Amino acid sequence: ILKNNINLEYQYYELMEKAERDWDQEIRVRSQYNLYYKESELLNILTQLISTLVSMQNNHITHRDIKPQNILVINGKYKLCDFGEIRVLKRNGIVVQRIRGSELYMSPILFQGLHAHLTQVKHNTYKSDVFSLGMCFFYAASLTYSGVDSIRELIDMNKIKEILFKFLSKRYSEKFILLILTMLEVKEEKRPDFKISKINFSE
């Protein structure tokens, strides 16, 4: 910004409470002691995060790098952080952009574009965030990367469903597993965004 021949630079800073840990650290500790989350606990965490992400979508903002390391645990509350990749959108979330995100959690269209060495990919950023969040919850529910790794390159939803039930059916309800499966829908046009009401994020 140039004002009266003086070059002024403005930056935006977000001040947050000091976190006890990030969600990845919490999951790793639970994994060491086999302290699996109760379904109600995961639904509570999901509801908290969805509330934030619906508000962001209502304001045409997408995160683009959702992963457990970017979710802070503060007094029992789970809050998104690291907004270095956020983008303000003008329309319905569909953009052509350089590939952003962490490979393990990125949506299939971004993952495929990355491995095809594409410089840009056209996709719905909100729906990509939904997929990333689904991968986070699969990891949190199973307390292992094995399941996430095993579906990372799959495009067959039946196989993905089989793996989800293999890792989660002993501890979680079919309804909960199918919720995660909905978030992990490979075809973007079939995957909901955060505002679509057919996803039931509560018990």
Side-chain angles (χ1 to χ4, degrees):
I1 299 174
L2 192 64
K3 184 178 181 180
N4 297 329
N5 296 322
I6 299 176
N7 192 20
L8 301 177
E9 183 176 306
Y10 295 91
Q11 292 183 321
Y12 177 81
Y13 294 91
E14 180 75 24
L15 296 179
M16 299 180 66
E17 309 97 315
K18 183 178 180 181
E20 299 127 36
R21 58 194 172 277
D22 65 43
W23 197 22
D24 183 63
Q25 292 170 331
E26 179 176 276
I27 294 169
R28 288 175 184 271
V29 170
R30 281 179 169 264
S31 179
Q32 289 178 353
Y33 298 99
N34 290 320
L35 297 175
Y36 288 90
Y37 289 95
K38 296 178 182 178
E39 185 168 317
S40 59
E41 290 177 311
L42 289 174
L43 286 170
N44 180 46
I45 297 168
L46 183 57
T47 300
Q48 291 180 45
L49 295 173
I50 290 300
S51 177
T52 298
L53 289 160
V54 167
S55 178
M56 289 174 63
Q57 185 172 336
N58 284 335
N59 288 281
H60 313 292
I61 299 171
T62 181
H63 189 280
R64 302 199 299 172
D65 193 19
I66 294 176
K67 56 186 178 182
Q69 295 89 339
N70 285 343
I71 297 170
L72 300 180
V73 184
I74 305 172
N75 296 322
K77 302 295 184 182
Y78 295 76
K79 301 186 179 185
L80 280 175
C81 70
D82 193 353
F83 294 96
E85 294 293 344
I86 68 166
R87 180 169 178 177
V88 179
L89 307 173
K90 294 182 179 180
R91 296 186 179 179
N92 58 3
I94 298 176
V95 298
V96 177
Q97 65 167 49
R98 294 183 64 84
I99 295 174
R100 293 287 189 272
S102 300
E103 184 173 355
L104 184 61
Y105 300 97
M106 65 175 50
S107 66
I109 193 169
L110 293 175
F111 182 80
Q112 293 163 10
L114 180 69
H115 285 264
H117 306 291
L118 300 180
T119 57
Q120 292 184 322
V121 171
K122 181 179 180 180
H123 71 118
N124 184 308
T125 56
Y126 302 126
K127 293 187 176 186
S128 289
D129 280 352
V130 167
F131 185 92
S132 298
L133 192 63
M135 292 289 263
C136 291
F137 275 85
F138 184 21
Y139 167 45
S142 62
L143 296 184
T144 176
Y145 283 116
S146 298
V148 174
D149 283 335
S150 63
I151 68 170
R152 176 61 279 183
E153 298 188 36
L154 293 181
I155 60 173
D156 185 328
M157 287 304 298
N158 288 324
K159 291 182 179 179
I160 293 174
K161 182 178 180 179
E162 288 178 11
I163 292 171
L164 284 179
F165 273 88
K166 173 185 174 183
F167 278 87
L168 304 180
S169 61
K170 291 182 179 180
R171 296 179 178 85
Y172 302 103
S173 69
E174 180 179 6
K175 181 180 178 181
F176 178 78
I177 298 170
L178 292 178
L179 170 59
I180 295 180
L181 184 66
T182 299
M183 298 172 74
L184 297 180
E185 170 61 56
V186 171
K187 293 183 179 179
E188 185 177 273
E189 64 273 17
K190 292 185 177 181
R191 190 187 321 131
D193 60 26
F194 294 111
K195 293 171 63 176
I196 292 180
S197 60
K198 74 175 183 179
I199 295 188
N200 181 8
F201 292 106
S202 61
E203 291 181 289

